[in-house]
Amino acid sequence: MNLHDIQDRILILCPFIKEIVVTIENGHPFAFIYPNFQTLKSEHIINIESEIRWYGVELYNMEVEESQKIRGYFISTHPLEKTASGEFDTTAIKKLLNKTQQSLQISEDEPSDNLYQTIKSYLCTMSDAIILPSSHLELDLRLDSLDYVELFVFIEHSYGVKIDEKVFSNIMTMQELYEYIKEHKEYITPTKIEWENILKEEHDEKLIFSPFIMFTYKTILLPFFKLFFRLEVKGIENIPDTSCIIAPTHQSMLDGFLIEATLPYSILRNTFFLAFKQVFGTTFFNPIAKYGQSILIDANINLKNTMLHASLPLKKKKNLVIFPEGARTRDRKLLEFRPFFAMLSKTHNVPIVPVIIDGSFEALPSGKIFPRPKKIKLTYLKPIYPGNMSYDELTEFVKKTIEDEM
């Protein structure tokens, strides 16, 4: 296995990686990565880890055999260490795995004014990491898209400063965020933010219904899937007559179409699908999304507006299909469930119908264009009502329910 070839290939695949060193850890390739922050800023990317993972590491993994796949990675906020001769210092780089943020940065002088301290105090409610002026809000504090939306709302309500993803992509350290707010603030009134209030805000977008086209999709897809994939469907009776969230596992690009094909038409015509713009906003898929009752989400642009749009079907007592994993599995194992579907469930007090999709991973593995005639099973489980569960409790309960039935 030529580690330099792996490094070169990933650099070609992903313009957001500036430096990469691949080593062998526990018998498998492991990547140490330093992002190209300048390119990320120019493209207004705020979900750096996600971009590097899916459009760098995982794209490479699709191309190679199991033994050559990268099983883990570490993203550094600092350039990777080099020897005096200019070569990467592999020994020093490997030590990054055993260092915590505290050991890397023992202390830093920080502003003592009320503004800095109120920002820091709020971030402490969102992250368990040590917060320093140089802390990167994603890579050090581990904030994600949902955290960003909450942070933007907090900043607007607390300081009268509007921040969007384009602005934020250029101020993603604690120090830069503080300086931006200090320059633009109108007042300092720290305000508690509730997600349910955010998701209930009024929104200008309208739902576009396409009942005839949805019926056409279903009429064409269902018999094809039954013939080609020997499609088996169970538990349709578990879908309630009232508004609900349909939450399937995510194994392949087929999954949304499988849900569309198997839902009874009376339910399908009132159902909307949440999908990533990076995939379904492309030239090929956009017509399908546009007339397929889809709501496209881009984690780097207008995320709050998209979330409000995603909330609209439930406000209107319709249904929403959302994949809790947020991405397709690359090894058939469940990914971490993101809590947005649980937030929507609690905000609108609607049940969640978990769906197990089994076989689509083999039918259309990542990186393949043409499906294989493998058997696919869909099982709609009994609805789960939010009750008094917290977002995290509901998220974990749905995941465990699926795991127990797989």
Side-chain angles (χ1 to χ4, degrees):
M1 186 186 310
N2 191 317
L3 299 182
H4 288 289
D5 287 348
I6 297 176
Q7 294 168 184
D8 292 341
R9 181 56 184 157
I10 293 176
L11 286 173
I12 290 172
L13 288 171
C14 186
F16 302 126
I17 297 176
K18 188 170 185 178
E19 298 176 349
I20 180 169
V21 172
V22 178
T23 65
I24 299 297
E25 303 292 333
N26 299 319
H28 299 285
F30 187 98
F32 294 86
I33 294 168
Y34 174 59
N36 190 328
F37 287 107
Q38 193 59 45
T39 302
L40 287 162
K41 287 181 179 180
S42 66
E43 296 292 328
H44 309 303
I45 302 297
I46 62 173
N47 290 279
I48 297 171
E49 190 272 342
S50 178
E51 291 290 328
I52 287 174
R53 177 181 182 182
W54 299 114
Y55 301 106
V57 175
E58 293 298 343
L59 276 183
Y60 160 78
N61 283 345
M62 290 182 194
E63 300 178 348
V64 298
E65 299 175 355
E66 286 295 318
S67 61
Q68 294 183 309
K69 290 184 177 181
I70 290 177
R71 297 299 183 185
Y73 54 86
F74 177 92
I75 300 177
S76 174
T77 55
H78 303 282
L80 302 179
E81 291 192 50
K82 295 182 179 180
T83 63
S85 63
E87 299 293 323
F88 285 115
D89 188 338
T90 306
T91 302
I93 291 171
K94 283 187 174 185
K95 290 180 180 178
L96 289 171
L97 289 178
N98 301 316
K99 291 184 178 181
T100 63
Q101 185 185 15
Q102 187 172 14
S103 65
L104 286 168
Q105 300 169 323
I106 297 174
S107 65
E108 292 180 10
D109 292 333
E110 63 179 24
S112 59
D113 64 351
N114 186 44
L115 174 61
Y116 183 90
Q117 295 306 319
T118 59
I119 299 170
K120 181 177 179 179
S121 294
Y122 195 80
L123 287 172
C124 284
T125 68
M126 305 173 77
S127 173
D128 295 329
I130 297 168
I131 299 176
L132 303 168
S134 64
S135 295
H136 192 281
L137 298 176
E138 179 192 1
L139 301 179
D140 290 328
L141 304 191
R142 311 307 300 171
L143 302 191
D144 60 17
S145 297
L146 294 176
D147 295 322
Y148 293 154
V149 172
E150 182 180 339
L151 181 60
F152 296 169
V153 174
F154 168 76
I155 291 170
E156 182 176 354
H157 289 191
S158 301
Y159 312 113
V161 179
K162 288 190 176 182
I163 292 182
D164 59 18
E165 291 84 356
K166 185 175 181 179
V167 170
F168 188 64
S169 65
N170 287 283
I171 54 173
M172 292 191 71
T173 66
M174 177 63 180
Q175 181 69 35
E176 291 170 332
L177 179 65
Y178 158 70
E179 291 174 353
Y180 185 88
I181 296 173
K182 184 177 182 180
E183 180 182 351
H184 295 88
K185 75 179 188 309
E186 296 181 3
Y187 45 78
I188 301 179
T189 309
T191 305
K192 184 178 180 181
I193 301 302
E194 299 288 349
W195 263 107
E196 292 189 12
N197 292 334
I198 296 175
L199 293 174
K200 286 181 178 178
E201 287 183 17
E202 292 301 319
H203 186 53
D204 293 336
E205 294 283 350
K206 305 295 182 184
L207 293 177
I208 299 176
F209 289 84
S210 305
F212 176 74
I213 293 176
M214 297 297 281
F215 175 76
T216 302
Y217 286 163
K218 176 180 174 62
T219 302
I220 295 172
L221 290 175
L222 185 57
F224 172 74
F225 287 164
K226 284 186 173 181
L227 179 64
F228 193 78
F229 299 120
R230 291 166 289 148
L231 179 63
E232 181 181 325
V233 184
K234 295 181 179 179
I236 287 291
E237 68 278 4
N238 288 324
I239 303 175
D241 295 331
T242 57
S243 174
C244 69
I245 293 171
I246 298 170
T249 57
H250 204 3
Q251 293 195 344
S252 81
M253 287 287 292
L254 291 169
D255 297 340
F257 299 105
L258 289 165
I259 297 295
E260 191 171 37
T262 56
L263 287 178
Y265 179 67
S266 60
I267 295 173
L268 179 62
R269 67 184 181 183
N270 291 310
T271 298
F272 290 79
F273 294 74
L274 194 63
F276 275 110
K277 187 175 182 179
Q278 288 89 333
V279 177
F280 286 89
T282 58
T283 302
F284 180 77
F285 282 112
N286 188 58
I288 297 174
K290 185 176 181 180
Y291 300 107
Q293 296 185 183
S294 297
I295 298 171
L296 301 185
I297 185 170
D298 187 329
N300 294 298
I301 301 174
N302 296 325
L303 185 58
K304 180 186 173 183
N305 287 336
T306 305
M307 291 169 62
L308 292 175
H309 195 186
S311 190
L312 194 54
L314 303 176
K315 278 185 180 181
K316 301 295 185 182
K317 308 302 181 184
K318 307 303 179 183
N319 311 311
L320 180 67
V321 177
I322 179 171
F323 293 94
E325 295 166 272
R328 288 167 284 151
T329 180
R330 296 301 193 263
D331 56 9
R332 227 182 181 281
K333 297 178 182 177
L334 287 179
L335 299 174
E336 178 184 356
F337 276 30
R338 299 173 181 267
F340 183 49
F341 76 103
M343 293 174 173
L344 290 171
S345 173
K346 286 193 65 66
T347 297
H348 299 287
N349 193 29
V350 297
I352 298 166
V353 179
V355 187
I356 298 173
I357 299 178
D358 184 25
S360 73
F361 180 84
E362 290 77 14
L364 188 62
S366 295
K368 302 298 182 182
I369 298 176
F370 300 105
R372 304 167 180 174
K374 302 290 184 178
K375 183 172 180 58
I376 297 177
K377 297 180 183 179
L378 265 70
T379 305
Y380 290 82
L381 304 181
K382 291 182 178 180
I384 296 172
Y385 292 81
N388 294 322
M389 285 185 280
S390 68
Y391 299 145
D392 290 341
E393 288 171 342
L394 183 55
T395 300
E396 288 305 312
F397 186 74
V398 172
K399 184 178 182 183
K400 186 177 187 305
T401 300
I402 289 174
E403 288 174 332
D404 290 345
E405 295 292 333
M406 288 181 73

